[in-house]
Amino acid sequence: MRLLIIGALGGQIGAASQIAVARGSQVSQAENIDAAMKSLRAGNGADVIMIDSGLDIAGLVSMLESERIDVPVVACGVGDDKGVAVRAIKSGAQEYIPLPPDAELISAVLEAVSQENYSIIHKDPAMTKVLALAKQVAKSTASVLVVGDSGTGKELMARFIHNKSPRAKAPFVAVNCADIPENLLESELFGYEKGAFTGAVARRIGKFEEADSGTILLDEISEMDLRLQAKLLRAIQEHEIDRIGGKRPVKVDVRILATSNRNMEQEVAEGRFREDLYFRLNVITIQIPNLADRPDDIEPLAKYFIEKYAASNGLDGMRISKEALIQLKSHPWPGNVRELENTIHRGVLLAVGSEIKPASIHLEGSGSSHGTAVAPNGETAGGIHLVGKTVAEVEKELIIDTLDHCLGNRTHAANILGISIRTLRNKLKQYSAQGVTVPAPGEGGTKAPV
Ligand SMILES: Nc1ncnc2c1ncn2[C@@H]1O[C@H](COP(=O)(O)OP(=O)(O)OP(=O)(O)O)[C@@H](O)[C@H]1O
Ligand SMILES: [Mg+2]
């Protein structure tokens, strides 16, 4: 993991950084926020930022957001002062670590915020076969296209392939092509020179250069527009990229992984995806089966998620009852592993005592559903209060509430709503034009005014 520390290294933060180094992190340091931003713009990526709680955390977080640099921020401060911790979190830090540093706490926090735990839980022969193929192709530098329905674990698989590859120690850089507006994706991927366009105040290194000698994941690649597809093809064929406003191409050595939950052949047939690019990416395809087609994975996954969520809620010795397990095994899981994970998370929180019983398991479409989709005002969509509203009004509320619930994450919201990201984008554009406040990525958790 790449950890960027902002603040003077003397004293306690220095001790924290030594702990991080001892557990295998690559640590770099910047004296202040300006120096840190310069380093990030120059393509020195980080998986986590640790910042002295005395510095301007809110300023840092807003700069990261406006420059679309997606790195979790953890604040560190001396002592257990609740006020300092609360202020840090309110300013946008994800966690607060009290100093002097506790080795176990630092490890736990770094692992949690960087989502470093990438084990793929499996038992079903269908999944064992897929993993064997993944391990085999990991060793090569061939491009791999990971396909599967929403929530099957495509992103996790891409990280697994990188971690098992000879490039494991080099950077893994993920770009979600669906979450980034079309007009920004090019600069995100290829970077730009100072002055390339209004607002390009300094050179910004793109994700391709950041991933140099490592792996780039182009998540949801089917959402990339045709014009950019042509530039991507050139980057793959020539092993070089053009920064926007750049005078000459820049050589890059990057392995490409891509994911899609659309049928790519159909996208090609319908002219939305370049065939030549598809062939380039699709040297090897890994198809992840739906959870319903690997039923033996349900139990080990359920147990894994129980442990995960019990631990993060400070609950010990949680288990699941036989009846509840039978219920899980007979559910069709249209939302795949993500749906199972959400179901278990709720189950852990709702359980009375240390056993999760059927009463705490709420499944989509089972009548007792408190599904992941948040209906207007938190009530079920069948509620009487909907009468009198137009379908368009209800749709708008549902979309905005779901987006808010997903902290502005377009991909997740579209998955929960069961619509394409393009459709979601178009609706949001329409709402913005009507003056509705639309949660930006990373925003939400509070009800936005509709
Ligand atoms: N085999 C597995 N073992 C452990 N966790 C898993 C497994 N498969 C998926 N998950 C978890 O389920 C969630 C969804 O996985 P992931 O984001 O990789 O799916 P995806 O196919 O990319 O979904 P989407 O199409 O919605 O982007 C993640 O939290 C991931 O860690
Ligand atoms: Mg994904």
Side-chain angles (χ1 to χ4, degrees), residues 7-202:
L9 260 190
Q12 309 282 19
I13 288 201
S17 97
Q18 278 162 16
I19 293 173
V21 170
R23 65 182 290 285
S25 301
Q26 287 160 258
V27 177
S28 56
Q29 184 247 354
E31 280 300 315
N32 52 43
I33 293 175
D34 278 347
M37 290 304 300
K38 268 203 193 112
S39 158
L40 290 167
R41 281 185 203 118
N44 302 315
D47 301 306
V48 181
I49 291 175
M50 214 189 240
I51 182 172
D52 186 324
S53 61
L55 297 175
D56 177 15
I57 299 176
L60 169 70
V61 170
S62 84
M63 259 192 270
L64 290 173
E65 262 169 28
S66 71
E67 301 194 29
R68 308 191 59 84
I69 301 174
D70 185 18
V71 189
V73 174
V74 172
C76 290
V78 176
D80 243 335
D81 181 350
K82 281 256 160 28
V84 177
V86 169
R87 261 202 306 286
I89 302 282
K90 276 201 176 142
S91 314
Q94 292 205 355
E95 290 284 351
Y96 176 80
I97 300 182
L99 299 173
D102 172 274
E104 253 169 51
L105 183 66
I106 289 200
S107 296
V109 168
L110 293 184
E111 187 166 301
V113 298
S114 67
Q115 300 181 315
E116 207 193 24
N117 194 346
Y118 299 129
S119 34
I120 297 191
I121 307 300
H122 65 103
K123 186 170 170 225
D124 198 286
M127 199 59 189
T128 313
K129 232 167 89 186
V130 173
L131 274 171
L133 173 64
K135 270 186 207 152
Q136 202 182 340
V137 305
K139 295 188 201 107
S140 74
T141 51
S143 303
V144 180
L145 181 62
V146 182
V147 295
D149 281 355
S150 174
T152 47
K154 296 183 293 295
E155 187 175 346
L156 193 66
M157 178 62 77
R159 287 179 187 276
F160 175 86
I161 292 172
H162 170 75
N163 288 343
K164 293 277 176 240
S165 79
R167 298 176 171 234
K169 289 231 151 32
F172 175 87
V173 176
V175 183
N176 189 321
C177 304
D179 270 351
I180 299 169
E182 271 170 21
N183 56 339
L184 292 183
L185 189 54
E186 179 177 357
S187 58
E188 193 75 13
L189 289 175
F190 303 130
Y192 52 77
E193 293 292 344
K194 180 174 176 175
F197 45 82
T198 332
V201 288

Side-chain angles (χ1 to χ4, degrees), residues 115 117-123 127 131 146-159 176 217 219-220 259-261 288 291 294 297 300-301 304-305 308-309 335-342 409 411-412 415-416 421:
Q115 300 181 315
N117 194 346
Y118 299 129
S119 34
I120 297 191
I121 307 300
H122 65 103
K123 186 170 170 225
M127 199 59 189
L131 274 171
V146 182
V147 295
D149 281 355
S150 174
T152 47
K154 296 183 293 295
E155 187 175 346
L156 193 66
M157 178 62 77
R159 287 179 187 276
N176 189 321
L217 166 62
D219 210 1
E220 320 237 15
T259 75
S260 166
N261 57 18
I288 308 190
L291 186 54
R294 42 178 163 126
D297 282 353
L301 277 168
Y304 170 76
F305 291 134
K308 170 174 169 184
Y309 287 105
N336 294 297
V337 184
R338 189 191 306 289
E339 184 189 353
L340 175 61
E341 178 166 1
N342 290 342
N409 185 315
T411 315
H412 288 174
N415 283 334
I416 289 174
I421 292 150

Side-chain angles (χ1 to χ4, degrees), residues 310-358:
S312 68
N313 288 288
L315 304 165
D316 261 350
M318 264 278 177
R319 50 204 155 73
I320 183 158
S321 78
K322 249 198 198 139
E323 296 74 21
L325 201 53
I326 290 171
Q327 211 183 355
L328 295 182
K329 286 182 178 170
S330 54
H331 185 66
W333 300 111
N336 294 297
V337 184
R338 189 191 306 289
E339 184 189 353
L340 175 61
E341 178 166 1
N342 290 342
T343 303
I344 296 289
H345 188 179
R346 277 195 301 269
V348 166
L349 297 176
L350 295 175
V352 183
S354 60
E355 192 171 57
I356 302 174
K357 300 201 171 89

